[in-house]
Amino acid sequence: MGAPLVSRLSPARRAALRLLVAAAERDAYVRELIDRTPAVAALSSRDRSFCRRLVLGVTASEGVLDAALDRYLDRPSKVSLRVRTALRLSAFELLYLDTAPEAAVSQGVELVRSQARGAAGLANAVLRRVASGAKTFLAASDVAEGERAMVAAARCAGLPLWLVRSVAEERGTEALRALAAGQLEPAPLALHALVGAEEQMGGAPGPVPGCRVDIDVAALIGDGAFERARAVVTDAHAQLIATAAVRPGTCLEIGAGRGTKTFVMACQARRAGFARRVVALDLYEHKAAQNRSRLERAGLGCITTVVGDGRDLDCALGPLDEGGRRLFDTVFVDAPCSGTGTMRRHPEIPWRLDPASVAADGALPGLQLALLTEAARRVERGGELWYATCSVLKSENDEVVARFLASPEGAGFCLEPPSRAVIFDEPLFSSAARHLAAYENGDGLMQTVPMLGGFDGHFCARLVRRAAT
């Protein structure tokens, strides 16, 4: 590669740098800032799309970018946040995009110059070496042969090595290849439409009634479809799980959040003609209020929202118990988790996630088991307990369920395949059952893994309480 080009810094790269620096300095999530940053809003449509790709990609692959840069920095710890962020932007283009190396280096030098004029020479030297060594770095040629394949997979996907190893060991190399191939690509969008509003949403039908894929989100925002609660944006695999859990009778939803699954379940109950009475519980009042407001605007009533801790349901549901512990036909636990099945949408996850927190004895599996155990006390005889996460890690999924079933509280429950749930007896939902069954293992546990062009990684277990217990 010859001498660096002297070029004017592109508006998209300048805006991306501002946004990434702001997110780091405020400890904020980049997705929350993108649509609120004036410098991004002022860009052309094409530049805005490029800026978004840069911001999300740099955030998602931050650790790998630093590893590529630090090989050529004499004192990596002395590089300021602003200069390092500018270097990461150019390194991301050199490693993961089709940008011509000369252009990426030239623009990287200008990015660094905009933050620290005296560091432009350093940027030129480092980025030229990153460019010339990009292929060998991604191929992990510097790593011992026995480790090379795994390190290369981590670098190519922009993921931490521990996480790549976990996915390979727990889900297999094919699942790892699928996840890695799509990790730095945009995730597909889907929505769930209110009954009768499906065709108005455009796009194409998804795997369950009410689901629409290949949608034009910008057009729907402009039309006010989400503001009027005509639809919610939610992953198609999440919709599969929410649909499967719909039964007639009473339902307690734990971890309802802002209510996307609440909305889906209410719509599907209406489509199936099921009468339901629902209590939606969340730890945070503002989320419960958003859930309640959307359901009211959508005309999906008969739902009570409660604020409380799912680990102490006697306290949270005390006002509803009326002197005796209230039991439910269905209890749905949407557990807090690592979110490793949704990393494309939440790029901070890979490099902020602490491996210890998701170990079998870590904080997250401990919390998940506590929620599941407490929820079991609220299931009516013959009722169903559903456990769901958006993780791909067995420590949060299969192993939590196994530990629950081995406990005294789980002794009265048995696993049943989600694809054989009550709602799939309805002709309208028969094809959805086949779609869901494709993701079930021999134990009846459902797990999806994100892949290029495919939807997110989700897990669920259907636990039926024996009528005699």
Side-chain angles (χ1 to χ4, degrees):
M1 185 167 59
L5 301 171
V6 177
S7 60
R8 183 178 179 182
L9 184 55
S10 78
R13 293 181 178 90
R14 187 188 299 275
L17 177 59
R18 288 179 181 173
L19 199 153
L20 286 165
V21 168
E25 291 179 342
R26 301 177 197 175
D27 194 26
Y29 294 103
V30 291
R31 279 191 178 276
E32 295 177 356
L33 298 182
I34 287 177
D35 296 327
R36 303 203 308 261
T37 301
V40 176
L43 296 173
S44 66
S45 177
R46 181 178 179 181
D47 280 347
R48 192 160 53 248
S49 178
F50 183 44
C51 174
R52 188 180 189 89
R53 181 74 188 277
L54 290 173
V55 167
L56 297 180
V58 167
T59 303
S61 58
E62 177 181 297
V64 173
L65 299 177
D66 283 345
L69 291 165
D70 289 351
R71 290 152 62 92
Y72 308 116
L73 288 166
D74 292 334
R75 295 187 295 172
S77 63
K78 299 297 183 181
V79 178
S80 71
L81 169 67
R82 289 173 174 266
V83 169
R84 181 170 287 278
T85 304
L87 289 171
R88 285 173 181 164
L89 274 163
S90 184
F92 178 75
E93 291 195 65
L94 290 168
L95 295 178
Y96 298 115
L97 301 186
D98 294 328
T99 309
E102 294 84 357
V105 170
S106 178
Q107 287 288 289
V109 170
E110 294 307 309
L111 283 168
V112 170
R113 194 194 308 278
S114 72
Q115 303 303 305
R117 182 171 292 275
L122 169 71
N124 178 45
V126 169
L127 293 175
R128 282 165 59 87
R129 296 183 73 183
V130 170
S132 62
K135 289 184 179 179
T136 56
F137 174 75
L138 290 175
S141 300
D142 57 319
V143 176
E145 188 173 351
E147 290 289 309
R148 189 170 298 157
M150 203 60 63
V151 174
R155 289 178 179 178
C156 289
L159 290 172
L161 181 58
W162 74 266
L163 183 53
V164 164
R165 282 181 172 147
S166 294
V167 174
E169 291 169 2
E170 297 177 4
R171 302 299 176 194
T173 54
E174 287 303 315
L176 172 61
R177 288 193 191 99
L179 184 150
Q183 172 58 20
L184 295 177
E185 298 298 322
L189 292 174
L191 60 74
H192 194 86
L194 198 62
V195 181
E198 298 90 346
E199 296 298 327
Q200 301 168 26
M201 298 300 113
V208 297
C211 179
R212 307 295 292 186
V213 298
D214 299 328
I215 53 173
D216 185 343
V217 172
L220 292 172
I221 292 174
D223 187 51
F226 304 119
E227 182 67 25
R228 292 181 286 117
R230 306 291 289 169
V232 295
V233 174
T234 177
D235 184 74
H237 290 156
Q239 293 184 48
L240 263 177
I241 293 171
T243 299
V246 175
R247 303 170 68 223
T250 55
C251 175
L252 171 62
E253 183 186 359
I254 299 171
R258 295 178 174 84
T260 53
K261 285 191 176 74
T262 316
F263 182 96
V264 173
M265 288 191 281
C267 288
Q268 301 298 47
R270 183 168 292 184
R271 289 186 176 95
F274 291 168
R276 294 167 78 241
R277 297 190 308 280
V278 178
V279 174
L281 180 145
D282 195 77
L283 187 58
Y284 301 103
E285 169 59 40
H286 72 279
K287 292 184 179 181
Q290 288 178 311
N291 189 2
R292 186 167 55 248
S293 173
R294 176 160 52 200
L295 293 170
E296 289 172 354
R297 283 179 281 128
L300 298 170
C302 301
I303 293 177
T304 301
T305 56
V306 174
V307 177
D309 190 335
R311 294 170 294 182
D312 187 357
L313 293 177
D314 287 348
C315 178
L317 301 179
L320 303 179
D321 281 341
E322 299 175 351
R325 183 178 293 155
R326 183 175 175 182
L327 302 182
F328 297 82
D329 298 307
T330 304
V331 178
F332 186 92
V333 180
D334 198 3
C337 69
S338 65
T340 46
T342 63
M343 293 185 293
R344 296 174 298 179
R345 303 183 195 276
H346 306 287
E348 286 86 2
I349 287 175
W351 297 100
R352 291 191 183 186
L353 187 61
D354 178 7
S357 71
V358 293
D361 59 351
L364 272 172
L367 171 60
Q368 292 154 353
L369 181 60
L371 289 168
L372 190 56
T373 300
E374 178 70 357
R377 299 168 62 234
R378 292 287 178 155
V379 181
E380 186 65 79
R381 292 181 180 181
E384 295 186 357
L385 174 60
W386 289 74
Y387 174 73
T389 76
C390 54
S391 171
V392 297
L393 301 176
K394 282 192 173 183
S395 60
E396 300 181 87
N397 298 339
D398 314 50
E399 292 174 12
V400 168
V401 172
R403 288 165 66 191
F404 168 73
L405 288 172
S407 70
E409 295 83 1
F413 289 83
C414 60
L415 276 172
E416 295 289 346
S419 62
R420 298 179 190 171
V422 171
I423 196 168
F424 297 126
D425 291 335
E426 302 295 321
L428 179 63
F429 295 89
S430 59
S431 64
R434 292 190 293 272
H435 195 97
L436 180 56
Y439 300 117
E440 292 172 347
N441 66 15
D443 294 324
L445 300 174
M446 180 265 199
Q447 177 76 65
T448 61
V449 174
M451 62 182 64
L452 184 64
F455 289 94
D456 289 347
H458 288 270
F459 171 87
C460 83
R462 176 187 173 216
L463 299 144
V464 178
R465 185 176 181 184
R466 298 181 182 92
T469 63

